[in-house]
Amino acid sequence: MRQRPDRAKIKMAWIQETIENPIRMETQADRRIRKWKKIEEEDKYLRVVLLPDGETVHNAFFDRNFKGEI
């Protein structure tokens, strides 16, 4: 995931903070868990996708379509 240039600047601390304190959380049909948090330093929303175990990070990226609605 971090090999991609657009994701290289995502800090592990931001991912952890999103997992622990999301502003929104959804469970997908495949039971993966999506969590969002605004990263003030970037003025963007980070989406972290966890596997169904709720711990393993599947993906993390700045979600251009998320507008912060709860």
Side-chain angles (χ1 to χ4, degrees), residues 25-69:
M25 186 173 84
E26 294 178 359
T27 302
Q28 300 177 171
D30 62 4
R31 297 185 21 231
R32 290 182 182 160
I33 303 160
R34 295 184 205 165
K35 296 186 176 191
W36 288 266
K37 181 163 183 73
K38 185 165 187 179
I39 306 303
E40 297 295 338
E41 295 165 62
E42 297 291 322
D43 196 30
K44 297 178 182 177
Y45 289 93
L46 182 65
R47 181 196 302 185
V48 176
V49 181
L50 303 172
L51 295 182
D53 66 12
E55 296 179 13
T56 306
V57 176
H58 172 71
N59 207 344
F61 57 94
F62 288 114
D63 190 340
R64 286 180 256 170
N65 297 318
F66 188 74
K67 302 300 179 204
E69 59 272 359

Side-chain angles (χ1 to χ4, degrees), residues 5-18:
D6 62 328
R7 299 183 187 180
K9 67 179 180 178
I10 296 174
K11 297 177 183 178
M12 292 303 293
W14 294 342
I15 294 171
Q16 190 63 39
E17 180 64 23
T18 302

